[in-house]
Amino acid sequence: MKRVAAINDLSGFGKCSLIADISVLSSMGIEVCPVPTAVLTAQTGFPSYYQQDLKDMVEHCRIEWSRMGTKFDGIITGYIPHENQIDQIIDFANAFNQKNTVLLVDPVMGDGGQCYANYTDSMRLGIQKLVRKADVITPNLTELCILAGEDPNELPNNVDRILEIAKKAKASEKQKIVVTGVILEKGELCNMAIHPGGAEVIHSKYNGLSYSGTGDLFAAALMGNLLNGETLVDAVSKTADFISESIVNTEDKDRNYGVDYELQLKKGWER
Ligand code: PXL
């Protein structure tokens, strides 16, 4: 059985972060070992929330799990509440990132041209450092611009320009970048899979709505599909279908509560 370490927060509402990692990867037959970075009553988009930090938890997981001789097939990282946790995450990745381990870094920093509440310039520098180690990164368009040092207030909407920005954000020739939630000129939604062999644009159904947690669900499902043997492009395509079906099945509600993806999990992946 494959095993993934998931470094992320646990939010009571928002259907994001560890809830996404644990439920999605478990439903794909993959063991998840959570490394909680903070516990929140709700994700930070809610008008009010309480956050309990777990500042040393990543380090303790590294120390204890190293003693246990633990090995991981994948390491996924998401929302990082404090920039001073990034070095611990890098140490964790160094300790467990073996030759065949997939290190997927979701550089969670913002969406829709806006940065999240925890964002600072040194957070960006830290995330750029973490990104350099990753096999796969899954920025949305806002995060891609931030990583590349471009202004996220003017999100690009054409494929060539996005490829140009991705080239700047890319850490190495062999790094794979999946740019999520790209809205093209004609209002179409797509994800872009950029890999050493080229780049593919994978179109999705789009109803114009955006919800909390879809980036986290995307990263978790992408990791699962990759570990289950899919090529990058097939993994992106299956993952994009999972997200768009989840959005279609979501009742019209406050975006902060996330999407009803559980109904997709109930149907299963082996269809
Ligand atoms: O979905 C990204 C995310 C994860 N975790 C927390 C967040 C957000 C986005 O706002 O606030 C706590």
Side-chain angles (χ1 to χ4, degrees), residues 124 128 142-152 161 165 168-169:
R124 171 179 54 82
Q128 279 170 329
T142 303
E143 292 155 349
L144 184 78
C145 288
I146 297 172
L147 286 176
E150 299 277 340
D151 183 359
R161 175 74 186 123
I165 299 174
K168 278 174 107 181

Side-chain angles (χ1 to χ4, degrees), residues 8-9 11 16-17 40 42-45 79 108 116 212-214 216:
N8 222 328
D9 70 274
S11 287
C16 58
S17 352
L40 295 90
Q43 54 92 357
T44 63
Y79 185 82
V108 179
Y116 293 139
S212 153
T214 52
D216 304 0

Side-chain angles (χ1 to χ4, degrees), residues 209-231:
L209 300 174
S210 111
Y211 289 95
S212 153
T214 52
D216 304 0
L217 290 165
F218 189 101
L222 182 71
M223 171 65 103
N225 280 315
L226 290 173
L227 290 185
N228 284 340
E230 303 287 349
T231 63

Side-chain angles (χ1 to χ4, degrees), residues 63-111:
I63 294 168
E64 297 297 332
W65 294 351
S66 295
R67 271 185 198 143
M68 288 161 59
T70 311
K71 292 191 169 41
F72 294 104
D73 301 285
I75 301 168
I76 184 166
T77 78
Y79 185 82
I80 304 172
H82 294 285
E83 63 207 39
N84 54 17
Q85 289 170 304
I86 294 175
D87 282 339
Q88 288 183 42
I89 296 174
I90 290 175
D91 289 346
F92 184 99
N94 287 338
F96 296 109
N97 194 8
Q98 295 183 307
K99 194 165 165 274
N100 292 322
T101 306
V102 176
L103 174 59
L104 189 157
V105 172
D106 187 11
V108 179
M109 290 184 281
D111 200 8

Side-chain angles (χ1 to χ4, degrees), residues 254-268:
D254 181 343
R255 71 169 302 283
N256 275 325
Y257 286 87
V259 292
D260 296 342
Y261 72 98
E262 298 89 339
L263 304 171
Q264 287 308 112
L265 296 190
K266 193 176 173 199
K267 290 184 192 161

Side-chain angles (χ1 to χ4, degrees), residues 191-248:
N191 296 289
M192 289 169 64
I194 303 163
H195 51 96
E200 254 83 23
V201 179
I202 295 120
H203 288 267
S204 285
K205 281 181 271 182
Y206 184 44
N207 63 2
L209 300 174
S210 111
Y211 289 95
S212 153
T214 52
D216 304 0
L217 290 165
F218 189 101
L222 182 71
M223 171 65 103
N225 280 315
L226 290 173
L227 290 185
N228 284 340
E230 303 287 349
T231 63
L232 182 72
V233 173
D234 287 349
V236 171
S237 173
K238 281 197 169 180
T239 301
D241 287 348
F242 162 61
I243 302 294
S244 53
E245 291 297 324
S246 300
I247 293 177
V248 167

